[in-house]
Amino acid sequence: MRLKKLQDMRAGGFDPFRANAQQTHFSDEALKAHVDGQDNTVAVKVAGRLVVIRDMGKSQFVKILDQQGQLQLYVKKDVIGDEAYAAFKKIDLGDIIGAEGTLFKSKTGEVTVRMEKYTLVSKALRPLPEKWHGLTDSEQVYRQRYLDLIVNPDSRARLMLRSRIVASIRQTLAGRKFLEVETPVLEGVAGGAAARPFVTHHNALGADFYLRIALELRLKRLLVGGYDRVFEIGRIFRNEGVSRKHNPEFTMLEVYQAYSDFHGMMELIKAIFTDLCRDVIGTFEIKHAASGQMINFAGDWRTVRYFDLIDEAAGFKLSALRGAADYPAKATDAAQKLGLEIHAGWQPFEIVNEIFSKKIEPTLIQPTFVTHLPRELCPLAKLNQEDSGLIDVFELCIGGMEVAPAYSEQNDPFVQREMFEKQAGEEQQKMDTDFLLALEHGMPPAGGMGVGIDRLCILLTGAESIRDVILFPSLRPSDAK
RNA sequence: GGGUCGAUAGCUCAAUGGUAGAGCAGCAUCCUUUUAAGUUGUUGGUUCCGGGUUCGAAUCCCGGUCGACCCA
């Protein structure tokens, strides 16, 4: 039917796919441009997709949707003429039009464009999903996100907010003289984190490449190169499970600042959140979707040592036994008392971290800096001066999720090499020998931080799943119809 | 990878093992300030795919595909 309308139009000498329209106002700008009490004085040219048609015979109210939202148009036979009105009646819901007219307020007080002229600029050959319930089939929401954006205002607003969140972060960092850089996605060694990488092959070079799993080692080379404040917002790839908190490709912000340390990173991440809450979200209190609690981003954030939390969970001073002969047994015992399953070959730090990630992290709803983690958890951080079993780092947890880890970065090439070589446990990082070479040239002391942008967006938009803040989440390929 | 649940008209959803329906969308009709507009009429199905049981399967069984949730 719609195809026939298109064919008729083309036979009549008009092809909507060859037409265009002008846009002087977005919908929200048009709404603001109306002057109270002065109807039909302001002329606008608007454009968008027809999403509502209320036909009353010789006149109709319709609504178009553009980037900023919906705008009502009033189409009157007397105004646009018999011929144009007859043609307008043939337009379908979902078609894209440009319209010119003047602004007025309807009987019910809605600012509306009195349409004088219109142009059909694109024909929709397929119908829109239902207007009231929207599109709820999650598979279609993800696979055909464009339909979700057209009919589900929540999705539209949430994903637009993500764009503004990223823009705000860039602005905060630029204001502090950070340089935004781009580093390779294809790497010979996927380092900087412990994760299974995706592998691909470069034909001309005859070599396998890995998609990066972190940005860290490249950005630190830039510190060596004399760029003292650098950051990258980029996609990284981990060939692991998919869940509400995990997508195989996700966006990471990594920041490195020379002559700073993990305390400096605390200040920086607070500044980023403060700017976001004030400029983008408009509130410092955000509801946590999973728990229903309000997360308060204002004021001082709690800072607590990793092992203090462990001791609290265990119910006794487990940390005092670190290094003692019965530490592994006591740690296993404590974990099992908490109902955790401990695998036979696990190192003590793995057992303790199981307690942290299963029993503690999910309870950290309010912003919390967890500091002084065991050294085995990250080979790239500086060792604590007082206790070389610990590292000078924090893990920022919010909403029960790890949102941002930060370190005082290890810049001693000997210690760094040793840390790589001595790695224990299941999760081990690959040794990047060129990175060690770079360290040997001298890297300034620095604070560094990684921020999972997707998780940040989950928190700030009150979303329930990572898929709600990623435009096109990874799905198993399926044969398109 | 394991478990649970789901897939029916373009969309949102119904349908004791017995003729597959409704609302919206579409089509036609009436209506010159509507707000999920309203009115009258009406079209529309490979019930995800492949097997099996049965006189008869959207429904029961087996296998598969895709998705959601939970667990690892």
Side-chain angles (χ1 to χ4, degrees):
Chain A
M1 189 68 211
R2 288 175 180 231
L3 200 55
K4 187 179 177 301
K5 283 183 183 174
L6 177 65
Q7 284 160 352
D8 288 349
M9 263 184 279
R10 282 175 167 164
F14 176 77
D15 185 341
F17 296 118
R18 288 166 168 254
N20 204 346
Q22 283 184 302
Q23 191 179 32
T24 62
H25 292 67
F26 274 130
S27 51
D28 62 328
E29 294 168 335
L31 294 177
K32 275 185 233 149
H34 177 259
V35 184
D36 238 358
Q38 297 186 29
D39 281 352
N40 302 316
T41 55
V42 181
V44 296
K45 294 178 183 173
V46 294
R49 186 185 298 274
L50 268 172
V51 290
V52 174
I53 296 178
R54 285 192 270 270
D55 185 354
M56 289 167 299
K58 296 188 181 62
S59 79
Q60 29 186 312
F61 282 95
V62 303
K63 282 190 178 176
I64 59 168
L65 175 70
D66 67 15
Q67 178 178 299
Q68 300 301 115
Q70 292 191 0
L71 181 65
Q72 182 165 261
L73 313 178
Y74 182 50
V75 189
K76 209 173 162 189
K77 196 175 182 182
D78 299 347
V79 177
I80 67 167
D82 290 2
E83 202 179 317
Y85 192 78
F88 191 83
K89 283 219 161 196
K90 290 213 164 67
I91 286 183
D92 291 307
L93 214 50
D95 289 355
I96 300 176
I97 64 167
E100 298 180 37
T102 55
L103 297 170
F104 75 102
K105 221 169 212 180
S106 75
K107 256 187 191 167
T108 51
E110 180 168 347
V111 174
T112 304
V113 178
R114 179 186 300 269
M115 193 163 88
E116 284 153 10
K117 254 171 85 178
Y118 81 93
T119 319
L120 178 65
V121 294
S122 188
K123 184 81 193 148
L125 298 176
R126 293 175 185 268
L128 289 175
E130 206 230 12
K131 61 186 172 188
W132 184 237
H133 299 92
L135 191 64
T136 62
D137 177 51
S138 57
E139 186 170 358
Q140 221 175 334
V141 164
Y142 301 141
R143 287 196 201 276
Q144 293 186 275
R145 180 67 88 177
Y146 44 91
L147 293 179
D148 177 47
L149 293 176
I150 293 167
V151 300
N152 296 336
D154 290 352
S155 293
R156 193 181 180 75
R158 189 181 336 103
L159 288 158
M160 206 183 269
L161 199 55
R162 175 179 178 134
S163 175
R164 292 168 53 208
I165 286 168
V166 173
S168 165
I169 293 171
R170 284 204 161 91
Q171 206 180 334
T172 303
L173 291 169
R176 292 170 175 240
K177 301 230 167 91
F178 281 89
L179 298 175
E180 179 165 10
V181 297
E182 293 175 274
T183 66
V185 170
L186 296 175
E187 295 189 304
V189 180
R196 200 185 325 157
F198 287 90
V199 192
T200 185
H201 186 77
H202 191 293
N203 291 333
L205 295 178
D208 279 346
F209 276 84
Y210 301 93
L211 301 189
R212 64 184 175 188
I213 56 173
L215 310 174
E216 180 148 1
L217 301 186
R218 293 289 180 173
L219 293 175
K220 282 181 172 173
R221 284 171 169 85
L222 298 177
L223 291 178
V224 172
Y227 286 176
D228 289 332
R229 297 183 191 185
V230 291
F231 77 94
E232 177 166 8
I233 295 175
R235 202 71 60 81
I236 66 179
F237 306 83
R238 296 186 180 176
N239 203 343
E240 293 169 356
V242 178
S243 79
R244 285 201 314 181
K245 292 182 190 175
H246 300 87
N247 197 59
E249 54 179 299
F250 59 103
T251 303
M252 186 81 118
L253 160 70
E254 286 198 29
V255 191
Y256 293 87
Q257 179 174 2
Y259 316 112
S260 183
D261 59 15
F262 81 103
H263 290 108
M265 293 299 107
M266 287 185 181
E267 193 276 325
L268 180 61
I269 188 67
K270 275 212 77 174
I272 287 172
F273 268 95
T274 300
D275 289 352
L276 280 169
C277 288
R278 191 190 54 230
D279 302 336
V280 179
I281 311 298
T283 170
F284 284 80
E285 279 212 323
I286 297 165
K287 190 168 180 178
H288 179 227
S291 71
Q293 284 185 52
M294 297 304 289
I295 301 177
N296 185 3
F297 290 97
D300 287 335
W301 293 357
R302 182 183 177 202
T303 301
V304 60
R305 284 177 169 246
Y306 181 88
F307 275 106
D308 289 349
L309 290 171
I310 295 292
D311 289 347
E312 194 184 313
F316 67 99
K317 273 257 170 204
L318 175 62
S319 64
L321 301 172
R322 276 196 305 130
D326 60 347
Y327 179 52
K330 294 275 197 213
T332 303
D333 197 41
Q336 282 170 344
K337 273 192 182 138
L338 289 165
L340 296 170
E341 204 173 311
I342 301 303
H343 294 235
W346 277 6
Q347 306 273 336
F349 81 90
E350 291 179 285
I351 298 166
V352 168
N353 204 48
E354 180 75 1
I355 298 177
F356 180 77
S357 58
K358 292 283 157 57
K359 291 291 161 187
I360 299 172
E361 190 179 282
T363 68
L364 300 176
I365 306 298
Q366 300 302 324
T368 306
F369 292 116
V370 180
T371 65
H372 299 91
L373 275 57
R375 61 185 282 174
E376 293 87 349
L377 287 176
C378 183
L380 296 160
K382 264 192 180 168
L383 304 181
N384 185 264
Q385 302 253 357
E386 277 91 53
D387 184 343
S388 66
L390 303 179
I391 41 179
D392 281 341
V393 304
F394 71 72
E395 188 79 76
L396 174 60
C397 295
I398 312 175
M401 286 187 297
E402 168 197 324
V403 172
Y407 320 143
S408 297
E409 301 294 344
Q410 182 55 263
N411 64 344
D412 179 332
F414 296 107
V415 177
Q416 183 64 79
R417 183 178 290 272
E418 200 188 319
M419 294 294 288
F420 273 141
E421 285 167 351
K422 271 199 188 160
Q423 284 183 90
E426 286 183 341
E427 300 205 337
Q428 302 203 355
Q429 297 201 18
K430 286 271 181 311
M431 167 125 53
D432 181 338
T433 50
D434 180 70
F435 169 66
L436 288 170
L437 178 63
L439 280 194
E440 288 171 13
H441 283 279
M443 186 180 92
M449 178 166 63
V451 182
I453 296 294
D454 309 274
R455 290 179 175 190
L456 182 86
C457 290
I458 291 176
L459 288 172
L460 294 177
T461 64
E464 292 183 12
S465 161
I466 196 166
R467 284 180 287 252
D468 295 333
V469 296
I470 293 177
L471 281 166
F472 299 101
S474 302
L475 296 180
R476 204 182 294 271
S478 82
D479 298 327
K481 288 175 217 161

